[in-house]
Every structure is written in C-alpha cells, then in structure tokens.
Amino acid sequence: MASNRSVGRAQEPVIYTCALCDSEDGVRWYCNDCQENLCNRCKETHTRGRKTKNDDVVSIGKANRQGYKPVPEVCKLHLGKLCDMFCSDCNELICSTCLSKNHKQHNWKLFEDELSVKKEHFKEHMTTIADKIANFNNATSERHRVNKTFKDNIDTTRKEVNSQRTKLKAEVDSIAEAVLAELASLEKEESLLYKKDIQRSEKNVEELTRLLEKAEMTDTSSVFIIETEMSLRKTLPLYDVKIKHVSPKQPSFVTGNIDRVLLTKMLGELHHENQYEKTNIESKDVQRLSKFTVTQQNHIWGICPVDDRHAWLSIREYKGLVLVNREGVVKETVKLDFCPYMIAMVGTTDIFMTSYNDSTFVYKISLHNKQVTTFANIRPHTAFDISINERDEVCVSTNTPDIVVLNQSGTIVRKVTCGMKGWRITCLSSGDIAVSDFTNVSIITDRSGTTKYKWTVEINNGQNDGNRAFHKMSRDKYDRLFVPDSYNNLVHVLPRDSSQATCFLDQKHGVIEPTVAGVDTCGNVWIGCSYGTVHVMRL
C-alpha cells in the first residue's frame, strides 16, 4: 500500500493555466498544433480564429505534448480531476477522489511510476512477438518438409502398388483400385491437414505481425500504452508456439505372395497407423476393436452377437453355424443339412434361420442340445430375412410386399403388407419395422403396414451414381439402424428421429462389400463382408 507522503502527493490537484488568458478556471482543452492549454472561452475563440480555426484542439487528457512527461487523462467519474494514479488491485487509472472513495485500502502507485513499469513490459512483449513469429516460421518450414516427404512416400508406394499389380491378372484390378483409393484418401486427408496447419501458422504470423506493427506505432509517452500493454498481455498467450503439428504416419506397402489367399492379400496390404480411422456419429468417436477373416473366406450372410465378445455367423455355401470370438477364433460349430441364410437369435439359446435355397421353411435350433426343427412353413411365400420383435414374434420377409408374422409356436398370426418388395427387415423397439428393397429403406407400422417415412441416403465417396445394394440391417438400443451397402463399400447409419443418413464406415476403414451388420449387448457393431472379413467397431 502507498505511503502517506505518496497519498498526499497524489491528492494534490493538478492545476492547468490557460495560455491565452492565464485563467485557471475551466482549462479543459489543449491545442496540439500550438502546444497550449485553453480554457472553455479561449477554446471557442481559438477555433474561430483565421489562422487557428483548423488546429487540432482536443480535451486536455488527450493532449499530444512534445515534452517527455506523460499527461494523465481526465477522470470520467469526477470532472476536473486527472487520473494521475494507478490502482494495482483494480488494474485501472484513478484520480484522488476515486482513491478517497473506493480505493483507500488498495495498493496503488503514481501514474508516472506505473507507466515506467508498463514500458518495460511493453518491450518484453515486442520481443516475445518477434520470437513467436520466428517459431511459427520455423514450424511452417518443417511442415513443408514433412509434407514433401509424405508425398514422396505416397508416390513411391503408388509405384510399388502398380508394379505388384502388373503381376496379377485382370480379376484383381478392382482390388488394386481399392488400395489406391485408400492411398488417395490418406493423401487427401493429409493434404487437408497440411493446408489447415499452414493456414493456421500463416494466420498466426499475420496477426502477430499486425500486433507488432501496432505496438511499434504506439506512443510510449501516452496513456494509451497502458491499454495496449494490457491488451497484449491477454492476447499473446493465445499464440502458443509450443503446440506441435501432428506429423502424418508414413504408410508402408507390404506385398503378399501370389497364391490362393484373398485377392486383397495377393495385391498387398497398406500398413500404417491409421490416424484417420476414427469417425464420428452424433458426437461419439468410433474405432475398430478387431478385424478377422473366417477360414471359409466367403460372404458373411448373418451375424448374431451373443455378447460383446462372441457372435454366431452364417456363411455362404457353408452347411452350419460358427461361433467366433472377437479375435476370429472359432469356439463352436453346428453342422446342418442345409446352408443357413439369414439368422435371428432369441436370448442366448435359440436361433431362427432361413435357407439359402429359396425355401419356404423357417428353422429353429436349440443350442443346448443342437437339435434343429422346422419351425414353420410359410408357403406359398419364400422365407428370406428374419427378425424378432419386442413381443418375441418372428417376422419373416418374403421378397414380396407381404411380411409374415409368426408366434412362438410357428403359427402365422398376421401378414403385413408394406407397399414395397421387402427383402431385408429389422424390428425396432418402437414396434415398427424397417424394410429394405435393396435400394431403399422405409419404416412401416407393424399392424397396418403404413409407411411412416423413408430414409434418405446421400453417397459422397466419388461414385454417387445412384446405385445401392443394401443388405442385412441391424439396430441398436436407440433404434439407430446400421445398413450395409455392398455396392458403395459403405455402412450407413440411419437415425431414429431423422430422415438423413450418415456414413458409419467406408472403404478407408478396410470395409469391402459389407453384407451384414449386427449389434451386441454393449452397442458394438459387427460388420460382415464378402470374402469372410469381419470388423468389430466400438461407438
């Protein structure tokens, strides 16, 4: 806190004398051109004078004096008083009246003393600006170098891909394009990150340069230096030169042997720490928990997760069901006399199945004794997809407008006409049914078959020609619908309360021709694809 002597000195009123009439009354003006104080009356005369009418006359607190001593501003609260003190606690200029009324117990100092401190800080800020500009320029140069190395690596990898591609025959061209598309996706996303990083650095340099220029133009002998210094004190920490650019992980292409393995392995696999693997759905990150390929290496038709670690699979041209864990290890198999097609599970003990051979039968297997029975015959309809609703009724699509609904005894309790050729169906928790006819998805009312709304799917992966190939859908507990699209190598997410779909997975995640989706008890999504690949994704 200031001493009594300082208080006494600060409380002495500053008296100005008019340069024209020597009056001390109402001296509130200053002519910057004549360098003279003016009272109210002489200011009027001064501004009407023939030689002085165009002079720069300002309030005395804004005077631009030639001398070295700074001029305090006039107090806005107490007219006639100058703010010749600075309250350190309140961080503001005050006059003697302000001090006596509101700042008695505060720490304060004389205006001239504070201004001296501010000047030193001001010099430090300008040095900091220069250092930050240098750091950002160095970071920009390094980013240019990393980007060039990345592009060189992409070019080299692309040549390796094409070299290996020539060793294969025409049937592997589509797979080669898939790997090249993955590279292009990496390159594109790196290019976007690079552009964003460079723009951010250049923007920082530009803004700091403007700050430096403004600081250099600030009159260090005026009161404005305090305002400018306080502004710089708040602004400069926003430009953190310690923030590092995230350098892209360099991909490497590992070639495979030409043999009987999957064509993707024959071409080779792109190995990189996939920094772009995470996607976002309704502000939730999505990441892959595991990826494996079943030994049958054929289309996955059905997935019934038992829990968050295991799922039953039906596989094209395989007479049986396979229980696998999340790492792809086979835990159990059930042999059958036919190739199961679509499957649906009740609890953890019973699985309902349709047959791949255009059968009219719906089958049921009890897992505790592996006994298979014919659950129902829906002739004249053919049984295609199958789903269980909240009342444990078995809903069967027929690839016609009719959906057959069975009770747990296998008796047909009703037929629902959906107004479209129902190929794939999924029962929702709301009691409604999601129906797909291979290219469209609609939500219908279970009892009446009335279409409540259709979902819109926009495809933005470079092949938006309007073609789609929707396969086995699945819902989570929020009634979000996961729809595989094998034609576009996408898995769509159709939200419950919106008509606009979003992309859940695409080709950059390694999803090639997805054919089925299943959601486990923890909300993880199991995606089965052609050639026997399964992805397990966590929301």
Side-chain angles (χ1 to χ4, degrees), residues 158-422:
R158 186 177 285 114
K159 291 177 182 178
E160 292 177 359
V161 172
N162 286 319
S163 175
Q164 184 72 357
R165 180 180 180 178
T166 59
K167 300 177 184 178
L168 306 177
K169 295 185 179 181
E171 61 264 27
V172 302
D173 284 347
S174 61
I175 300 175
E177 291 298 333
V179 176
L180 291 174
E182 187 176 2
L183 280 173
S185 177
L186 287 172
E187 186 177 29
K188 179 180 178 181
E189 294 198 44
E190 159 56 12
S191 179
L192 291 174
L193 288 175
Y194 162 69
K195 182 178 179 181
K196 182 179 178 181
D197 290 341
I198 294 304
Q199 287 177 343
R200 183 166 55 243
S201 291
E202 290 176 348
K203 180 172 179 279
N204 287 336
V205 170
E206 181 181 346
E207 291 175 353
L208 285 169
T209 300
R210 284 200 299 267
L211 280 177
L212 183 59
E213 292 173 352
K214 181 179 178 181
E216 291 173 343
M217 294 174 61
T218 301
D219 184 357
T220 58
S221 64
S222 74
V223 69
F224 297 108
I225 191 175
I226 295 178
E227 179 182 353
T228 305
E229 188 277 335
M230 288 190 291
S231 175
L232 289 175
R233 184 192 309 170
K234 295 177 180 179
T235 304
L236 289 178
L238 301 177
Y239 298 89
D240 187 4
V241 297
K242 295 181 179 180
I243 296 178
K244 302 293 184 181
H245 290 303
V246 178
S247 299
K249 302 298 182 181
Q250 304 295 335
S252 60
F253 184 76
V254 180
T255 59
N257 296 319
I258 300 177
D259 53 23
R260 198 179 60 86
V261 298
L262 296 176
L263 293 180
T264 50
K265 291 184 178 180
M266 291 174 64
L267 180 69
E269 295 182 350
L270 190 65
H271 286 184
H272 59 90
E273 295 182 26
N274 195 346
Q275 67 193 94
Y276 310 118
E277 184 168 339
K278 284 191 177 181
T279 186
N280 187 277
I281 297 175
E282 297 179 2
S283 302
K284 292 184 178 180
D285 285 332
V286 178
Q287 63 182 120
R288 185 164 60 198
L289 297 178
S290 66
K291 174 185 175 182
F292 60 87
T293 301
V294 298
T295 56
Q296 291 79 9
Q297 297 182 0
N298 212 332
H299 293 20
I300 307 295
W301 284 139
I303 294 181
C304 281
V306 179
D307 50 36
D308 65 329
R309 297 292 307 180
H310 302 85
W312 285 97
L313 308 179
S314 61
I315 304 168
R316 181 181 178 182
E317 298 181 355
Y318 179 72
K319 291 185 177 181
L321 296 176
V322 180
L323 179 66
V324 296
N325 66 11
R326 209 164 67 189
E327 286 69 44
V329 178
V330 176
K331 294 297 184 179
E332 190 176 349
T333 59
V334 177
K335 296 296 182 180
L336 301 171
D337 295 330
F338 60 93
C339 295
Y341 189 30
M342 296 292 104
I343 58 177
M345 195 169 213
V346 177
T348 59
T349 58
D350 297 326
I351 296 178
F352 292 92
M353 301 171 287
T354 60
S355 172
Y356 185 64
N357 298 319
D358 294 332
S359 172
T360 63
F361 295 104
V362 177
Y363 301 94
K364 177 180 178 180
I365 179 172
S366 298
L367 296 175
H368 69 279
N369 59 10
K370 306 302 186 291
Q371 181 178 355
V372 180
T373 59
T374 299
F375 177 70
N377 186 347
I378 64 171
R379 184 179 290 119
H381 294 298
T382 300
F384 276 80
D385 198 5
I386 189 167
S387 184
I388 313 298
N389 66 18
E390 294 292 299
R391 297 183 294 276
D392 285 340
E393 294 174 326
V394 181
C395 300
V396 185
S397 69
T398 62
N399 206 24
T400 73
D402 290 333
I403 297 173
V404 176
V405 183
L406 310 167
N407 61 22
Q408 282 295 311
S409 299
T411 303
I412 297 177
V413 294
R414 64 184 178 278
K415 292 183 180 179
V416 181
T417 302
C418 62
M420 63 189 298
K421 203 171 183 179

Side-chain angles (χ1 to χ4, degrees), residues 7 37 61 71-72 87 93 100 106 111 116 133 145 157 172 200 234 257 263 270 336 344 368 424 484 506 520 525:
V7 172
N37 299 328
V71 179
C87 179
L93 291 169
S100 61
H106 293 184
F111 169 73
S116 176
I133 290 174
R145 186 194 65 77
T157 304
V172 302
R200 183 166 55 243
K234 295 177 180 179
N257 296 319
L263 293 180
L270 190 65
L336 301 171
H368 69 279
R424 295 286 182 258
D506 57 23
D520 65 29
V525 184

